[in-house]
Amino acid sequence: MTRQLHLNAFLMGTGHHEAAWRHPDSRPEDTLDAQHYVRLAQIAERGKLDSIFFADNLAISRSVRYNSANHLEPITLLAAIAMLTERIGLIATASTSYYEPFQLARKFASLDHISKGRAGWNIVTSAGEDEAQNFNLDKRPAHADRYARATEFVEVAQRLWDSWGDNARVLDKDTGHYADTDLISPIEHIGKYFQVQGPLNLPRPVQGHPLLVQAGSSEAGREYAARFAEAVFTAQQTLDDGQAFYADLKSRVTTYGRRPEDVLILPGICAVLGGTEAEAKAKEAELNALISPEYSVDQLSRILEHDLKPYPLDGPLPPLPDEDAVAGMKSRSTLVKQLARRENLTIRQVIERMAGGRGHRVFAGTPEQVADQLDLWFHSGAADGFNVMPPNLPGGLEDFVEHVVPELQRRGLFRTEYTGTTLREHYGLARPVPNTNRTKEHAA
């Protein structure tokens, strides 16, 4: 088959533009209504998108005075969405720093069974200092320690999913045998961070393992993605940067005995759409006019780990620490600094450039122009698909599904119908074969 791109809809409250909740057409009161997200998922499913995705944060925003900080717990929310959708993949973010492997392995296995094979896990290590303080810690663990824990965490989760053989549940009423216990094994894991007996207390997920997604682009994040990720959500501002990231990550995959095509790279794109380019630019300007500088400066300070409040908005960024000195969002802080230097931006201009996608690429144009950009990145070795980030909801998602998706379909770049039923089938990824050795290994 001709290679086609993959599309994930990243859904966030009223939209990705930080001022979307203030737009006249916005309904911020709906962000705690599950039906709001069900409707969004159904729009994405109507467009035959591969999946929807929810981010998560384990602490309230310091800037809640100026912006919504309401986040329904995503696994719970996706279980509700699963009952009112049929094909769309369901990806939730969950942290390896503050959960336990048995707990999350069970939650994602449950979501996979509830959805009949549509679950995905976006693996994060949680960069926020305030998150750590909600989990019996004074400060967040060091960057290297977070990734070391995340490595052992996912290894344990995979072993738990494999602790049941695919045919372990026999349901034989005549013999009275519910399960073949020869196909169910403890994992007896003893490691640096975790001690887990196992086995899991429910059968192997429909997909074998839920799809594993990762979003960090630091050196440690890239190495982690090469080892575990099957889809990577990433942020690049230029085609050259996208190509460099794509080539680097694909080359790393082979060192772990994996094929480059087994890892799909999906850069974020916040597309502001209009019937003409001028109309799209006007929509972008309308959203930017609603920005609260107090919120934006605080958010940018958090990313850069440097307080920007004393500096004039129309002046340049001050000298900032190198990536090695950043303890939180290393790759994102570097992206912001490179953007500001490359285009000689003031703090106010950086804020406007970040407002739509927090470092992901924002593009305002017609559906044909947006499709041209996706086509270019896809065929230039910068992307296997895209993490679609509507600037406002539901309108931004409806515009993308109704106008960009048909254009991509006309070009033969995107499916016109689903051909599979599971998330792995949508992404063209194999179902993992049960690794019985995983249930016999002990960590060093």
Side-chain angles (χ1 to χ4, degrees):
M1 292 180 61
T2 302
R3 178 172 170 256
Q4 292 186 323
L5 56 79
H6 300 280
L7 297 175
N8 170 77
F10 182 177
L11 304 180
M12 181 176 283
T14 56
H16 280 272
H17 195 286
E18 65 184 47
W21 74 275
R22 300 182 64 196
H23 192 275
D25 295 337
S26 176
R27 289 180 51 85
E29 61 270 28
D30 288 348
T31 58
L32 296 181
D33 183 354
Q35 284 297 328
H36 168 64
Y37 300 102
V38 168
R39 288 191 290 270
L40 296 175
Q42 290 171 338
I43 292 169
E45 190 168 67
R46 188 170 74 237
K48 315 303 178 187
L49 271 61
D50 296 69
S51 49
I52 60 172
F53 158 61
F54 289 104
D56 196 26
N57 193 292
L58 298 172
I60 192 169
S61 168
R62 296 177 305 183
S63 304
V64 67
R65 179 183 181 93
Y66 303 106
N67 206 331
S68 168
N70 303 135
H71 296 287
L72 294 173
E73 195 285 309
I75 303 174
T76 305
L77 178 58
L78 286 170
I81 291 172
M83 304 308 296
L84 293 168
T85 55
E86 296 180 356
R87 297 291 188 92
I88 194 82
L90 310 169
I91 301 173
T93 296
S95 173
T96 57
S97 294
Y98 306 119
Y99 286 104
E100 291 289 322
F102 189 95
Q103 177 188 29
L104 274 191
R106 184 186 184 211
K107 284 179 177 289
F108 279 105
S110 296
L111 180 60
D112 206 52
H113 283 293
I114 290 168
S115 65
K116 296 181 172 58
R118 294 186 281 141
W121 173 17
N122 178 45
I123 306 162
V124 298
T125 65
S126 296
E129 194 79 80
D130 47 355
E131 294 175 287
Q133 293 167 359
N134 286 333
F135 291 89
N136 295 311
L137 295 172
D138 293 328
K139 61 182 182 179
R140 66 188 161 210
H143 191 267
D145 290 338
R146 296 201 305 269
Y147 273 99
R149 177 185 165 104
T151 296
E152 186 179 337
F153 193 116
V154 173
E155 289 173 341
V156 173
Q158 290 175 324
R159 292 172 63 194
L160 286 167
W161 292 323
D162 286 346
S163 64
W164 284 64
D166 279 329
N167 300 313
R169 195 167 71 138
V170 295
L171 306 178
D172 192 328
K173 293 182 179 180
D174 292 335
T175 63
H177 290 170
Y178 178 84
D180 182 349
T181 52
D182 289 338
L183 298 178
I184 305 172
S185 304
I187 69 169
E188 298 176 336
H189 176 88
I190 301 173
K192 179 179 179 180
Y193 297 94
F194 306 108
Q195 181 172 323
V196 183
Q197 173 67 19
L200 201 60
N201 60 346
L202 77 165
R204 196 165 190 254
V206 175
Q207 296 183 102
H209 301 170
L211 187 80
L212 298 182
V213 183
Q214 192 266 355
S217 297
S218 66
E219 177 62 26
R222 295 182 191 214
E223 202 63 24
Y224 190 86
R227 182 171 181 176
F228 293 111
E230 295 165 299
V232 176
F233 296 155
T234 185
Q236 276 82 44
Q237 287 284 325
T238 69
L239 178 61
D240 286 346
D241 287 345
Q243 290 170 322
F245 179 87
Y246 188 97
D248 177 69
L249 190 55
K250 294 281 187 175
S251 69
R252 293 177 190 241
V253 166
T254 59
T255 64
Y256 293 98
R258 306 174 67 198
R259 303 178 305 164
E261 58 266 32
D262 292 335
V263 181
L264 302 174
I265 297 176
L266 310 176
I269 179 72
C270 178
V272 184
L273 292 162
T276 64
E277 184 176 350
E279 182 183 329
K281 298 288 188 184
K283 284 186 177 181
E284 183 179 31
E286 181 183 13
L287 284 167
N288 284 343
L290 299 173
I291 291 172
S292 297
E294 298 90 344
Y295 172 82
S296 302
V297 169
D298 187 74
Q299 290 295 99
L300 189 57
S301 298
R302 179 171 172 264
I303 291 171
L304 297 174
E305 295 190 1
H306 190 90
D307 186 5
L308 299 177
K309 289 192 287 292
Y311 299 94
L313 284 176
D314 293 313
L317 286 174
L320 295 166
D322 292 334
E323 183 174 303
D324 289 345
V326 174
M329 294 181 280
K330 287 180 176 288
S331 60
R332 193 57 55 88
S333 67
T334 297
L335 181 149
V336 173
K337 288 180 284 190
Q338 290 175 341
L339 171 65
R341 285 197 299 265
R342 184 172 59 244
E343 301 187 24
N344 195 28
L345 302 178
T346 65
I347 293 175
R348 190 189 303 276
Q349 289 168 329
V350 172
I351 284 171
E352 290 185 350
R353 293 293 295 275
M354 295 288 289
R358 300 171 309 284
H360 292 275
R361 188 162 180 247
V362 178
F363 184 86
T366 67
E368 293 77 15
Q369 288 174 324
V370 171
D372 286 343
Q373 289 295 308
L374 304 189
D375 193 340
L376 174 64
W377 281 53
F378 182 60
H379 282 117
S380 299
D384 294 306
F386 296 89
N387 197 19
V388 179
M389 303 167 60
N392 60 298
L393 290 169
L397 181 62
E398 289 174 328
D399 287 346
F400 191 91
V401 164
E402 292 174 6
H403 302 293
V404 178
V405 167
E407 179 63 26
L408 295 172
Q409 290 170 333
R410 280 193 289 273
R411 301 181 188 200
L413 288 172
F414 192 63
R415 69 171 67 86
T416 56
E417 294 293 339
Y418 289 112
T419 57
T421 59
T422 71
L423 178 54
R424 288 184 173 277
E425 289 172 335
H426 298 342
Y427 279 113
L429 298 171
R431 184 178 188 272
V433 175
N435 186 345
T436 55
N437 290 329
R438 286 197 180 107
T439 65
K440 301 173 183 177
E441 295 170 352
H442 292 253

